[in-house]
């Protein structure tokens, strides 16, 4: 119904970038990456170490952007679904007065935009302009894109380009090498960091205790009232924010109790967008109003029907692939809605039906695979599951799975052994340091957690008594007093 808007949008782009638009298809993948460097420097999660919520949002949005860009480059693609992204953009000199969202006191601002472009160049330009970043450097990346017709354009070599220091002086962007050097100089040790931050963490934790009790009360009350399996959060929101979200849900339950009871037995997750997740959790977008939440609960029966069809589809794929189990691992895959995941499975299933590759029935039982839309070749994960591209060549898929099946079983066995060791070390560390809670970020692997806990147990760390400790990739004191430390923390003298 909105197809009549596409010519209008194209006309707007042509007015803004008249000399670029006729040759937009000539931009290669490597050139797109180079053109987006200012954007990557402004949003890279490594520069948000003291802001875990913003860091996590940028990480997830970058994954979804990567999938979008990969799909644009696939041969024969027709159109992509609009993809809404949110980024926290670090302050640069040129964007301090651009009329966009104001900067926070932390030096970054939130930018939200929806991608519905059809080629790499217009996508790059749209991203940079949405974030109020300069586009002047794009023309210098490959003059062939703008001076030659499409059929004569030459592809730039797929290798990274190291920009001259003058580029950063001219544009005002920060040199990433200098940023990394500064981070390295500021790197500290675990004991010195705890000495400097332990007292503030204790104070924050003490102040948050009443709210933590209120959060537990609200969660138990709503879970019982709506007969929910669980209530979770996809982001590292503070306790006050979580309480506010539960209060909103509680008010909605008072107004539409029978409608909300349709979620009986489900897990509710507060996240960035409303819908049902690929694993069947009810997602409540924190930016949506009650009206949107109510509509979602009203549609749950149709979602349950789609979920049943999805499970049948997984079983059919499993049957065609010798009994291998199709799984969705939230920590390792982009956040997908139920509809998006069903579409992926359907495309993959139809390709398998056409090829009819022979697998001995049940020969691969006990093995697992996940589907990826952003990969071109299958791979075996260290945890034992196969990463299978949706558009993978069936013949290559058969050869790869059969040759890697034994290694996959060994990896899965090792994963289970590591999980046992990890749980034992978590319990030992919690007991030794009298921790109130010890947990890890989803991106921390069992191997990393085991290594971290083993080294922790060799230390004497009195500041940890009664604390909430999160194993992460960076140091941070969260607003409610949780201590975040990197899994590969260093001890001894600080690096200078």
């Amino acid at each position: 119904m909105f197809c009549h808007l596409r010519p209008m949008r194209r006309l707007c782009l042509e007015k803004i970038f008249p000399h670029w638009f006729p040759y937009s298809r000539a931009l290669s993948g490597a050139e797109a990456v180079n053109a987006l460097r200012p954007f990557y420097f402004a949003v890279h999660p490594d520069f948000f170490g003291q802001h875990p919520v913003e860091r996590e949002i940028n990480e997830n949005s970058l994954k979804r952007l990567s999938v979008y860009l990969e799909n644009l480059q696939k041969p024969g693609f027709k159109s992509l679904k609009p993809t809404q992204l949110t980024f926290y953009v670090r302050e640069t000199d040129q964007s301090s007065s651009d009329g966009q969202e104001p900067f926070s006191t932390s030096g970054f601002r939130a930018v939200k935009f929806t991608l519905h472009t059809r080629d790499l160049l217009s996508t790059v330009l749209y991203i940079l302009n949405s974030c109020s970043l300069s586009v002047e450097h794009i023309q210098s990346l490959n003059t062939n894109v703008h001076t030659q017709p499409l059929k004569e354009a030459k592809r730039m070599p797929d290798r990274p380009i190291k920009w001259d220091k003058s580029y950063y002086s001219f544009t005002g962007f920060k040199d990433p090498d200098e940023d990394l050097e500064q981070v390295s100089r500021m790197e500290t040790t675990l004991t010195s960091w705890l000495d400097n931050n332990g007292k503030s963490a204790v104070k924050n934790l003490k102040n948050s205790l009443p709210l933590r009790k209120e959060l537990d009360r609200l969660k138990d009350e709503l879970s019982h009232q709506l007969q929910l399996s669980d209530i979770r959060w996809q982001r590292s929101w503070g306790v006050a924010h979580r309480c506010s979200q539960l209060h909103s849900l509680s008010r909605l339950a008072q107004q539409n109790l029978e409608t909300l009871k349709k979620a009986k037995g489900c897990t509710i997750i507060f996240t960035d967008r409303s819908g049902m997740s690929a694993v069947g959790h009810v997602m409540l977008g924190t930016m949506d109003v009650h009206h949107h939440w109510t509509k979602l609960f009203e549609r749950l029966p149709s979602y349950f029907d789609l979920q049943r069809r999805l499970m049948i589809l997984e079983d059919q794929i499993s049957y065609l692939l010798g009994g291998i189990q199709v799984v969705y691992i939230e920590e390792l895959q982009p956040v997908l809605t139920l509809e998006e995941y069903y579409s992926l499975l359907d495309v993959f299933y139809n390709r398998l039906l056409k090829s009819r590759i022979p697998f001995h029935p049940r020969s691969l039982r006990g093995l697992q695979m996940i589907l990826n839309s952003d990969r071109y070749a299958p791979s075996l994960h260290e945890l034992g599951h196969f990463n299978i591209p949706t558009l993978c060549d069936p013949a290559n898929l058969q050869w790869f799975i059969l040759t890697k099946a034994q290694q996959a079983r060994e990896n899965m066995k090792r994963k289970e052994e590591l999980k046992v060791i990890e749980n034992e070390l978590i319990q030992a560390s919690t007991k030794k340091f009298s921790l109130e809670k010890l947990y890890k970020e989803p991106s921390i692997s069992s191997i990393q957690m085991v290594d971290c806990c083993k080294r922790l147990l060799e230390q004497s760390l009195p500041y940890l008594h009664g604390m909430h400790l999160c194993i992460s990739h960076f140091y941070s004191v969260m607003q409610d007093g949780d201590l975040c430390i990197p899994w590969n923390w260093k001890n001894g003298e600080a690096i200078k």
Side-chain angles (χ1 to χ4, degrees):
M1 64 181 289
F2 296 106
C3 59
H4 64 282
L5 295 178
R6 291 178 181 172
M8 183 182 299
R9 186 175 179 279
R10 180 180 177 90
L11 180 61
C12 293
L13 283 173
E14 287 175 336
K15 288 181 178 179
I16 301 173
F17 312 111
H19 56 291
W20 288 339
F21 212 84
Y23 313 114
S24 60
R25 288 284 181 177
L27 197 65
S28 71
E31 292 162 354
V33 171
N34 289 328
L36 284 172
R37 284 196 178 203
F39 165 74
Y40 290 134
F41 297 155
V43 303
H44 199 284
D46 286 352
F47 297 121
F48 288 80
Q50 297 300 315
H51 306 281
V53 175
E54 290 78 10
R55 174 192 175 97
E56 191 172 359
I57 289 175
N58 280 12
E59 283 179 345
N60 185 60
S61 293
L62 283 172
K63 289 179 183 177
R64 298 180 64 202
L65 174 60
S66 176
V67 172
Y68 190 94
L69 294 176
E70 289 281 356
N71 288 335
L72 275 181
Q73 299 172 65
K74 290 180 180 178
F77 89 95
K78 295 181 180 179
S79 63
L80 300 177
K81 292 183 178 179
T83 300
Q84 187 180 81
L85 300 174
T86 299
F87 285 101
Y88 284 91
V89 182
R90 293 191 299 141
E91 184 174 7
T92 59
D93 293 340
Q94 68 163 11
S95 56
S96 58
S97 59
D98 52 20
Q100 297 288 322
E101 296 86 340
F103 285 103
S104 68
T105 55
S106 301
F108 53 77
R109 57 186 165 86
V111 174
K112 181 180 291 187
F113 54 87
T114 300
L115 291 178
H116 40 88
T117 46
R118 296 181 58 83
D119 58 79
L120 282 175
L121 180 56
S122 61
T123 302
V124 169
L125 294 173
Y126 184 66
I127 292 172
L128 293 175
N129 278 279
S130 296
C131 297
S132 302
L133 297 172
S134 173
V135 297
E136 295 301 320
H137 63 286
I138 293 181
Q139 189 169 6
S140 65
L141 285 177
N142 184 9
T143 55
N144 291 325
V145 172
H146 314 305
T147 60
Q148 296 182 4
L150 176 60
K151 63 181 181 180
E152 298 177 7
K154 297 180 180 179
R155 178 182 174 85
M156 293 268 304
D158 290 338
R159 59 182 177 82
I161 295 177
K162 187 173 180 63
W163 292 357
D164 189 85
K165 298 290 184 182
S166 60
Y167 166 76
Y168 303 103
S169 301
F170 177 76
T171 62
F173 293 127
K174 292 184 178 180
D175 186 340
D177 293 335
E178 291 181 1
D179 279 344
L180 291 175
E181 289 175 8
Q182 182 179 3
V183 170
S184 178
R185 287 194 298 270
M186 294 173 62
E187 188 174 13
T188 188
T189 63
L190 176 61
T191 51
S192 64
W193 185 82
L194 289 175
D195 286 341
N196 294 329
N197 297 276
K199 290 182 179 179
S200 63
V202 170
K203 180 181 178 181
N204 290 356
L205 179 60
K206 184 178 179 180
N207 292 338
S208 73
L209 290 179
L211 271 178
R212 289 180 186 272
K213 292 180 180 179
E214 173 69 1
L215 179 66
D216 291 338
R217 185 192 68 80
L218 286 168
K219 183 177 177 181
D220 291 341
E221 184 180 279
L222 276 169
S223 296
H224 176 74
Q225 183 182 24
L226 303 179
Q227 296 179 281
L228 301 173
S229 176
D230 194 11
I231 298 177
R232 289 162 38 190
W233 287 263
Q234 193 178 48
R235 302 285 173 226
S236 302
W237 284 301
V239 176
H241 196 171
R242 296 185 181 202
C243 283
S244 176
Q245 292 161 355
L246 289 185
H247 278 300
S248 293
L249 184 60
S250 180
R251 287 193 296 270
L252 184 60
Q254 293 173 7
Q255 301 165 6
N256 299 279
L257 182 58
E258 291 305 314
T259 300
L260 268 62
K261 278 188 174 181
K262 293 181 179 181
K264 177 181 177 180
C266 294
T267 293
I268 285 182
I269 299 182
F270 290 95
T271 181
D272 296 331
R273 53 179 175 163
S274 296
M276 181 169 276
S277 74
V279 292
H281 299 328
V282 178
M283 302 190 302
L284 298 182
T286 57
M287 301 301 291
D288 292 335
V289 296
H290 282 183
H291 172 73
H292 295 115
W293 287 5
T294 302
K295 289 294 184 183
L296 170 61
F297 283 103
E298 290 173 350
R299 292 198 304 267
L300 283 182
S302 63
Y303 277 118
F304 294 148
D305 180 63
L306 180 60
Q307 189 178 21
R308 286 190 289 269
R309 289 160 50 199
L310 184 145
M311 294 171 66
I312 293 173
L313 198 53
E314 288 179 332
D315 289 341
Q316 291 172 329
I317 292 173
S318 176
Y319 176 78
L320 293 176
L321 294 180
I324 190 170
Q325 183 185 9
V326 184
V327 297
Y328 180 89
I329 304 177
E330 294 178 278
E331 295 83 2
L332 301 177
Q333 295 179 255
V335 178
L336 298 176
T337 63
L338 193 66
E339 300 96 325
E340 291 169 341
Y341 188 48
Y342 183 89
S343 178
L344 277 181
L345 289 171
D346 189 52
V347 170
F348 185 68
Y349 174 66
N350 288 323
R351 288 175 63 84
L352 287 180
L353 273 183
K354 290 179 181 179
S355 63
R356 286 290 182 179
I357 51 178
F359 277 101
H360 191 279
R362 299 182 294 280
S363 61
L364 298 177
R365 290 185 66 180
L367 297 181
Q368 295 179 337
M369 60 164 279
I370 65 175
L371 270 181
N372 278 293
S373 61
D374 58 339
R375 303 178 66 92
Y376 294 112
S379 65
L380 176 61
H381 196 275
E382 61 179 9
L383 297 181
H385 61 265
F386 289 95
N387 288 305
I388 306 300
T390 308
L391 302 179
C392 179
D393 177 67
N396 291 338
L397 174 62
Q398 180 190 24
W399 176 86
F400 185 82
I401 290 180
L402 292 178
T403 56
K404 297 290 185 179
Q406 183 56 36
Q407 183 63 51
R409 296 188 190 278
E410 293 174 2
N411 287 6
M412 291 186 71
K413 182 180 178 181
R414 176 59 178 159
K415 178 186 71 172
E416 296 304 320
E417 294 171 348
L418 270 174
K419 197 64 182 176
V420 172
I421 296 172
E422 179 185 5
N423 290 335
E424 291 175 349
L425 288 172
I426 289 175
Q427 293 177 14
S429 300
T430 302
K431 182 178 179 180
K432 175 176 179 177
F433 301 112
S434 301
L435 290 165
E436 183 67 25
K437 184 179 180 181
L438 174 58
Y439 61 104
K440 67 176 184 177
E441 286 190 344
S443 57
I444 299 296
S445 68
S446 293
I447 294 177
Q448 293 170 334
M449 190 67 173
V450 166
D451 176 71
C452 177
C453 289
K454 281 183 177 179
R455 293 188 297 117
L456 278 177
L457 288 169
E458 298 173 356
Q459 305 296 313
S460 176
L461 303 167
Y463 272 127
L464 295 183
H465 181 82
M467 299 303 294
H468 292 241
L469 181 64
C470 174
I471 307 305
S472 176
H473 294 281
F474 52 87
Y475 286 107
S476 177
V477 176
M478 299 181 73
Q479 65 188 54
D480 298 306
D482 291 46
L483 287 166
C484 293
I485 65 171
W487 69 271
N488 57 344
W489 54 269
K490 293 178 174 60
N491 203 21
E493 295 185 0
I495 298 176
K496 299 180 180 179

